[in-house]
Amino acid sequence: PTNWMINSSFKSTPLYIFMMHLPSLTQPKNSNTNPKKKGVDPLSSEKGFWGKMLGIGEFYYELAVKVAEVCLASKSRNGGIISVSEVKHILTKRGTKFQFAHVAVDSQQKGCQYSEEDIITSIKKLSILGSGFRTIEVGTSVMIVSVPTELDHDHMEIMKIAQDSDSGSELGCVTVKDVCDDTKWNKERAKRALDLLLSKGMAWLDVYEGVESYWFPSVWKESSDSSKQEN
């Protein structure tokens, strides 16, 4: 995942090293790709090493790997911020061995049942490896942040406004006017916060008839997935 090659200092962190090991940790076991020498399975040994470092058992370890993989794969689309519910939706759709408690599992394919709280727990474990993975609360949602970017109150407030269908714009979208009307901030403050989110890829800019609209993929995707599940 070359997107994680941010700078030389980050490359030396345990989190970066863990990310570089994701391909070998997530690929299926195969005699051709994972040769066992002298009775030692390199993949199992690697799992044992990272499991001990994270202080978790195999269940949370494997879940953390899957969650990290989803976060990194979606980073180019959402800038490194994704809702826990979207991660759940992706993992459920993939049909991995992990199953959510509300998903029926037939006798032919018994999976490991887990909840959104388990996803949050796995992220908390990953956070001990260094700057990057953490969860934040934005309005009614819990979001996973997988980049070192520091988000302050202003950034959180803007994403909260994007969740509100009564803000004046479409769900997942805000304008500078929406932000100013809702928060009573001046234009400069709203624009400064929006520009940082835009520069980090957490927001997309759309200009139509002279009006700048800021779209938040993580918020829009979460609401889209929720609507599909309700239907």
Side-chain angles (χ1 to χ4, degrees):
T2 55
N3 285 334
W4 269 91
M5 298 183 185
I6 299 174
N7 53 48
S8 57
S9 60
F10 178 69
K11 288 181 181 179
S12 63
T13 64
L15 179 59
Y16 176 82
I17 298 171
F18 178 77
M19 294 300 98
M20 292 302 100
H21 281 72
L22 273 182
S24 63
L25 295 174
T26 55
Q27 68 182 358
K29 288 186 177 181
N30 182 286
S31 58
N32 295 323
T33 57
N34 294 294
K36 296 181 180 180
K37 297 179 179 180
K38 298 182 180 180
V40 177
D41 182 353
L43 187 57
S44 296
S45 299
E46 228 171 277
K47 284 185 177 182
F49 170 78
W50 289 107
K52 288 180 181 178
M53 176 170 278
L54 295 173
I56 52 179
E58 185 175 349
F59 173 79
Y60 277 116
Y61 170 78
E62 292 193 11
L63 179 56
V65 169
K66 293 297 183 185
V67 171
E69 186 183 21
V70 170
C71 291
L72 294 177
S74 64
K75 183 175 178 289
S76 61
R77 170 173 59 82
N78 55 37
I81 183 167
I82 185 172
S83 68
V84 170
S85 62
E86 185 182 345
V87 172
K88 177 192 88 169
H89 177 77
I90 292 172
L91 290 178
T92 302
K93 193 174 180 180
R94 280 184 179 179
T96 64
K97 79 171 191 175
F98 294 103
Q99 299 287 338
F100 281 91
H102 71 273
V103 178
V105 182
D106 61 37
S107 58
Q108 298 292 321
Q109 186 180 2
K110 294 182 182 291
C112 298
Q113 293 191 351
Y114 67 109
S115 66
E116 289 190 13
E117 283 300 320
D118 289 325
I119 290 180
I120 294 172
T121 298
S122 69
I123 289 299
K124 287 179 179 177
K125 293 297 183 180
L126 281 179
S127 68
I128 70 174
L129 293 178
S131 63
F133 281 94
R134 62 196 185 280
T135 58
I136 59 174
E137 290 187 14
V138 179
T140 59
S141 303
V142 178
M143 299 282 189
I144 299 170
V145 180
S146 57
V147 290
T149 305
E150 288 298 325
L151 300 177
D152 62 22
H153 171 269
D154 287 5
H155 306 127
M156 305 280 211
E157 192 63 28
I158 287 175
M159 287 189 285
K160 182 179 176 181
I161 295 170
Q163 290 179 333
D164 186 3
S165 58
D166 297 326
S167 64
S169 297
E170 293 184 54
L171 196 63
C173 174
V174 299
T175 63
V176 171
K177 183 178 183 302
D178 293 333
V179 175
C180 292
D181 288 348
D182 195 273
T183 62
K184 309 307 178 188
W185 299 344
N186 59 40
K187 184 178 179 180
E188 288 70 27
R189 179 177 177 180
K191 195 76 166 61
R192 182 169 59 249
L194 284 165
D195 284 346
L196 181 136
L197 293 168
L198 184 66
S199 69
K200 299 301 180 181
M202 296 180 182
W204 297 350
L205 178 63
D206 179 42
V207 182
Y208 180 70
E209 295 185 348
V211 178
E212 295 183 341
S213 298
Y214 295 81
W215 288 88
F216 292 84
S218 56
V219 175
W220 178 85
K221 192 70 171 65
E222 179 189 26
S223 61
S224 175
D225 291 341
S226 297
S227 297
K228 289 177 182 178
Q229 289 176 3
E230 289 174 3
N231 296 331

